[in-house]
C-alpha cells in the first residue's frame, strides 16, 4: 500500500523507513531503524527529489506513482549519489522513461560508475551549478552546492515558493519515521537528539569545515522547512537544530560536561573508572556518563565525545599496546578530526602500565586538545591507598567543567 503525505503545498513525502536493517552502511547499529526520505513536487512540471535505498525500493516506487497520480515525471533531481538515496535511480528511469536527470558535473561520473547501462539518460542530464534555478511553475528550485556534506557531488535544492530546503544528508538522523514526519510532532530532544548527534558525528563529522560553509549559505536563504534525506522534517525551532549543527561542525562541545569511556577485561579498570565518576558526582559534576567500550558501539562513544567537553579515557595495557576497543575509538576520533576537548587518562597494567603514554600519543594528533597532566595509574586493581590519586584526578577533571 502506498504511504505518502503532503508536507508543504505541492510537496509530497514519498520516502520509506527500514526497521529490519541492523547496521547502517553495514557499520553503525540502528536499533531504531532509518528512513530514506524522498519528495515529489507537483507543479506544471513534476520533480522527484532523490530516490531511496533498495531495501525500501518497492514501497518507494509505489509512493512515487501514488503521488504522481497518473501524471508523468519531468525531473529527477539528484542531490546525493550515495546508494542509500541513489539505488532506485535506474528503476525510476525505467518506469518514467521521459524523465530528465538534474544534477551537477561532479554527479555525472558517479552516475556512469553506478549505472553503466544508463549512459543515454545520463548524457541527457540537465547540469546545474551554484545559484542555477529550475522553474517548475509556481515552484522554483535554486541549487546550493554542498561538496563533502557528505560526498563531493552533494548539492541542496531550495524551493523559493515554500522556503523548503532539500538538504541532502545534512540535518538527517538515524531512526525510522512513524506516521509523524515533522520534528515538532515528536519529542526530538528526548527521543532523537542522541541519534542525530551520532549520525552527524560518525557520518559527516569529519567535514565540519564544509558544513560551516553550507551553514553560511543557508543563513542567506528564507528557510521555512528543512527536508533532509533521513529522519524528521523541520518546520519549527529551526534555529535550535541549526545551532546544534553549528556547534557540532565547529567541533565545539554541546555540553560543558564529562563522559567516562573505559575498556576493561575483568572489571578492574572499570572499577577505577567508576570510582573517578563517583568522585566527580560527589564534586557536583552533573550528568557524568559512563560507557563500557566493549559493550557500547564505537559510534555511540564517538557521539558522546561530540557532546561532552571533557573525556575520561581508561584503558588496560594489552599486549604492550592499548586495549583494542579503546584503540578503535581513538582511531575513529583521529579520522573524524575531533577538536577542542580535554582528556583525562586512567591506565592499567599489571606489570608494565603504558596505556596512558600510548593514549597520549594518539591524542596528540587531535587539534586543540589537552591531556591533563594528572593521571591515574592502576596496577591490576585500584586499592584504598590510592584514594588520594583518585581524588586528585577527580579534582582536575571537575576543574575543567567548572572553569
Ligand atoms: Fe544518506 Fe551520504 O547518504
Amino acid at each position: 500500500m502506498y504511504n505518502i503525505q503532503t508536507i508543504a503545498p505541492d510537496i509530497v513525502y514519498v520516502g520509506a523507513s527500514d526497521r529490519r536493517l541492523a547496521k547502517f552502511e553495514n557499520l553503525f547499529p540502528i536499533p531504531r531503524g532509518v528512513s530514506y526520505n524522498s519528495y515529489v513536487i507537483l507543479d506544471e512540471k513534476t520533480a522527484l527529489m532523490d530516490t531511496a535505498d533498495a531495501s525500501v525500493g518497492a514501497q518507494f516506487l509505489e509512493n512515487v506513482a501514488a503521488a504522481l497520480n497518473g501524471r508523468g515525471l519531468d525531473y529527477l533531481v539528484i542531490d546525493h549519489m550515495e546508494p542509500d538515496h541513489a539505488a532506485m535511480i535506474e528503476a525510476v528511469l525505467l518506469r518514467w522513461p521521459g524523465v530528465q536527470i538534474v544534477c551537477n558535473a561532479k554527479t555525472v561520473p558517479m552516475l556512469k560508475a553506478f549505472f553503466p547501462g544508463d549512459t543515454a539518460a545520463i548524457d541527457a542530464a540537465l547540469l546545474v551549478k551554484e545559484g542555477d534555478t529550475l522553474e517548475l511553475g509556481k515552484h522554483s528550485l535554486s541549487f546550493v552546492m554542498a561538496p563533502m556534506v557528505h560526498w563531493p557531488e552533494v548539492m541542496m535544492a531550495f524551493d523559493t515558493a515554500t522556503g523548503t530546503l532539500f538538504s541532502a544528508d545534512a540535518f538527517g538522523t538515524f531512526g525510522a519515521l512513524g506516521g509523524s514526519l515533522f520534528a515538532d510532532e515528536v519529542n526530538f530532544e528526548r527521543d532523537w537528539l542522541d541519534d542525530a548527534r551520532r549520525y552527524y558525528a560518525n557520518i559527516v563529522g569529519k567535514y565540519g569545515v564544509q558544513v560551516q560553509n553550507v551553514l553560511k549559505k543557508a543563513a542567506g536563504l528564507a528557510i521555512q522547512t528543512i527536508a533532509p534525506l533521513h529522519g524528521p522534517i523541520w518546520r519549527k525551532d529551526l534555529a535550535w537544530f541549526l545551532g546544534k549543527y553549528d556547534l557540532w561542525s565547529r567541533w565545539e562541545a554541546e555540553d560543558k560536561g564529562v563522559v567516562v569511556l573505559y575498556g576493561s577485561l575483568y572489571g578492574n579498570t572499570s572499577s577505577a573508572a567508576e570510582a573517578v565518576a563517583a568522585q566527580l558526582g560527589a564534586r557536583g559534576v552533573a550528568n557524568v556518563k559512563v560507557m563500557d567500550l566493549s559493550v557500547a558501539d564505537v559510534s555511540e562513544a564517538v557521539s558522546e565525545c561530540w557532546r561532552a567537553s571533557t573525556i575520561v579515557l581508561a584503558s588496560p595495557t594489552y599486549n604492550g599496546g592499548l586495549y583494542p576497543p579503546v584503540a578503535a575509538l581513538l582511531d575513529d576520533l583521529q579520522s573524524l578530526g575531533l577538536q577542542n576537548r580535554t582528556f583525562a587518562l586512567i591506565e592499567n597494567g599489571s606489570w608494565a602500565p603504558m596505556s596512558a603514554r600510548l593514549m597520549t600519543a594518539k591524542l596528540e594528533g587531535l587539534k586543540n586538545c589537552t591531556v591533563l597532566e594528572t593521571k591515574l595509574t592502576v596496577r591490576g586493581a585500584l586499592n584504598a591507598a590510592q584514594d588520594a590519586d583518585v581524588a586528585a584526578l577527580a579534582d582536575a577533571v571537575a576543574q575543567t567543567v567548572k572553569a
Side-chain angles (χ1 to χ4, degrees):
M1 175 63 187
Y2 66 82
N3 184 353
I4 61 177
Q5 286 193 51
T6 298
I7 61 138
D10 313 317
I11 303 178
V12 182
Y13 179 88
V14 293
S17 285
D18 186 347
R19 293 181 177 77
R20 298 176 72 179
L21 185 69
K23 292 185 176 183
F24 185 78
E25 293 185 0
N26 215 7
L27 189 60
F28 305 110
I30 44 168
R32 299 174 57 242
V34 65
S35 76
Y36 305 104
N37 300 346
S38 172
Y39 309 88
V40 164
I41 304 175
L42 299 165
D43 203 339
E44 291 167 29
K45 299 281 189 180
T46 58
L48 173 61
M49 309 302 290
D50 287 295
T51 71
D53 190 83
S55 68
V56 297
Q59 179 72 61
F60 162 76
L61 290 174
E62 194 175 355
N63 289 350
V64 176
L68 290 171
N69 194 23
R71 294 187 62 185
L73 181 60
D74 294 302
Y75 299 114
L76 166 58
V77 177
I78 300 172
D79 283 335
H80 187 15
M81 270 302 296
E82 195 164 6
D84 55 331
H85 311 292
M88 300 305 292
I89 287 174
E90 187 164 69
V92 168
L93 296 175
L94 287 169
R95 180 127 178 203
W96 290 279
V99 69
Q100 184 176 26
I101 290 171
V102 180
C103 64
N104 64 71
K106 288 182 189 163
T107 317
V108 172
M110 293 185 183
L111 274 167
K112 288 185 173 172
F114 281 105
F115 303 105
D118 297 304
T119 309
I122 298 165
D123 286 340
L126 175 63
L127 298 187
V128 295
K129 54 187 187 314
E130 181 80 27
D132 282 356
T133 55
L134 178 66
E135 304 300 332
L136 301 176
K138 295 195 296 278
H139 298 262
S140 172
L141 295 176
S142 172
F143 295 97
V144 178
M145 298 300 126
M148 299 318 297
V149 186
H150 126 249
W151 279 18
E153 86 298 356
V154 171
M155 63 182 192
M156 301 180 181
F158 181 64
D159 171 29
T160 49
T162 60
T164 301
L165 179 68
F166 297 95
S167 63
D169 276 340
F171 309 107
T173 171
F174 297 132
L177 289 167
S180 303
L181 296 182
F182 292 95
D184 57 273
E185 295 175 332
V186 297
N187 191 329
F188 193 91
E189 189 163 9
R190 185 191 68 192
D191 298 332
W192 289 80
L193 180 59
D194 282 348
D195 259 341
R197 185 190 312 105
R198 187 165 68 96
Y199 173 87
Y200 175 85
N202 288 278
I203 307 283
V204 196
K206 183 181 179 71
Y207 306 110
V209 171
Q210 291 84 350
V211 173
Q212 278 289 312
N213 289 339
V214 164
L215 289 175
K216 287 189 184 89
K217 291 186 196 178
L221 302 173
I223 300 172
Q224 299 293 318
T225 299
I226 296 176
L229 289 175
H230 302 285
I233 298 161
W234 289 82
R235 63 182 173 186
K236 291 183 182 169
D237 301 324
L238 269 58
W240 178 83
F241 201 38
L242 285 162
K244 296 290 182 196
Y245 257 69
D246 181 44
L247 284 175
W248 295 340
S249 57
R250 287 187 291 112
W251 292 276
E252 292 294 339
E254 199 178 326
D255 295 337
K256 193 95 175 147
V258 181
V259 61
V260 179
L261 304 168
Y262 70 80
S264 186
L265 288 77
Y266 299 108
N268 291 303
T269 308
S270 67
S271 177
E274 302 274 14
V276 170
Q279 287 301 310
L280 289 171
R283 283 159 177 73
V285 180
N287 291 323
V288 176
K289 271 203 179 178
V290 179
M291 276 187 180
D292 182 339
L293 293 171
S294 296
V295 176
D297 186 76
V298 66
S299 66
E300 295 172 47
V302 165
S303 177
E304 281 302 307
C305 291
W306 244 259
R307 180 189 64 79
S309 57
T310 299
I311 299 155
V312 179
L313 286 175
S315 179
T317 306
Y318 193 78
N319 286 333
L322 288 172
Y323 191 53
V326 179
L329 170 64
L330 287 168
D331 288 345
D332 245 10
L333 295 181
Q334 266 184 334
S335 74
L336 295 169
L338 183 69
Q339 302 180 22
N340 307 319
R341 296 298 187 275
T342 301
F343 287 86
L345 304 180
I346 302 170
E347 66 175 348
N348 196 347
S350 303
W351 63 91
M354 50 199 301
S355 41
R357 183 166 63 77
L358 295 168
M359 286 190 279
T360 301
K362 283 193 180 275
L363 292 169
E364 277 168 358
L366 302 184
K367 277 190 199 165
N368 299 324
C369 287
T370 304
V371 179
L372 296 180
E373 281 193 19
T374 307
K375 298 178 182 64
L376 176 61
T377 297
V378 180
R379 288 180 173 270
L382 190 66
N383 58 61
Q386 291 183 281
D387 280 355
D389 297 339
V390 173
L393 185 62
D395 282 339
V397 172
Q399 195 62 36
T400 68
V401 291
K402 289 181 176 171

